[in-house]
Amino acid sequence: MNSAAPAPARTRGRPRGNPPIRESIVSAARALFLERGYRRTTVRAVAAVAGVDPALIAYHFGSKKGLFADVMQFQCANALAVDDVLGGDPVTLPDRLIDAVTGLWENADFLQLTAQGDEAAEVIREYLERELLARLVEFLGGRDATARATAVVTILGGLIYTRYLNPLPTPAALTPSETRHILTPALRAALAPRSRTAATTKTGRQGSPTSD
């Protein structure tokens, strides 16, 4: 007679304890999105590969779209580590920003994920707005921080669009080092504090009558 206890049934909902469930789901989803694409990847397939109940995906991510967003955000955060980029010498910050973007987008897996259509484009927009722009504003500080950060993200967004998302022949043909050489002066100018004197003079000219 077999006296071995039966294997416990997998329970629904959140498991007991605190295993790295979220990370295992993201890892399984990333592999399936790369293999099958967004459309052909199902929540049930991800749950099966991760060894969890599908209800856990809804619990942690809300939906397949939310899961895909998390996969993309994880990929962005790993390659475009904002803390590392902002934490070095301020003089070479423009170089690090360019290197972080080109390093992320030259990654074959990330390029494949970005080909998933509107879902990928939405995640990229959110990352640039909520993570990079917000962190730059905080890092730069001061009255013109938002304007300076917006200028930086606009340049980087233009790089992403014209080199990767909808590549133009000339930008796409540049090497990462050539891209850095061309765009670093523009980023340096964007990061520079705005002149209060210039702003005051402009305001004065608009608000005061012109004397003869």
Side-chain angles (χ1 to χ4, degrees):
M1 181 176 174
N2 186 2
S3 59
R10 190 171 64 187
T11 58
R12 293 182 63 82
R14 192 175 187 180
R16 295 190 180 97
N18 188 30
I21 293 294
R22 188 181 183 92
E23 290 80 0
S24 68
I25 294 173
V26 169
S27 178
R30 178 179 178 276
L32 288 177
F33 285 136
L34 286 171
E35 177 186 346
R36 303 179 182 179
Y38 180 83
R39 304 293 182 192
R40 295 174 54 215
T41 297
T42 65
V43 168
R44 288 189 175 278
V46 174
V49 172
V52 300
D53 191 286
L56 276 175
I57 295 179
Y59 175 84
H60 284 290
F61 306 98
S63 63
K64 185 175 80 168
K65 184 177 180 180
L67 176 57
F68 181 75
D70 217 86
V71 169
M72 290 285 291
Q73 294 277 8
F74 180 79
Q75 192 86 2
C76 288
N78 273 356
L80 188 59
V82 178
D83 287 337
D84 293 340
V85 173
L86 298 181
D89 184 351
V91 174
T92 55
L93 176 57
D95 303 82
R96 292 196 303 277
L97 286 165
I98 295 292
D99 288 346
V101 170
T102 55
L104 172 64
W105 286 83
E106 300 292 330
N107 179 279
D109 286 351
F110 185 75
L111 275 176
Q112 190 173 340
L113 287 172
T114 61
Q116 306 297 325
D118 293 342
E119 291 79 8
E122 183 177 343
V123 174
I124 293 165
R125 285 195 300 269
E126 289 181 358
Y127 189 84
L128 289 174
E129 175 76 21
R130 298 181 184 180
E131 181 65 14
L132 185 57
L133 178 61
R135 294 292 302 281
L136 272 171
V137 171
E138 180 183 359
F139 172 80
L140 294 171
R143 61 181 181 81
D144 58 358
T146 299
R148 294 158 66 193
T150 299
V152 169
V153 172
T154 299
I155 293 169
L156 295 178
L159 167 63
I160 290 169
Y161 186 79
T162 59
R163 183 174 171 84
Y164 302 107
L165 290 181
N166 189 24
L168 300 179
T170 301
L174 297 172
T175 66
S177 61
E178 289 171 336
T179 301
R180 186 194 321 118
H181 177 73
I182 290 172
L183 291 183
T184 291
L187 280 177
R188 187 169 288 117
L191 287 164
R194 299 323 191 233
S195 170
R196 183 180 293 273
T197 302
T200 303
T201 302
K202 183 177 179 181
T203 303
R205 287 173 178 171
Q206 291 176 342
S208 302
T210 303
S211 57
D212 293 331

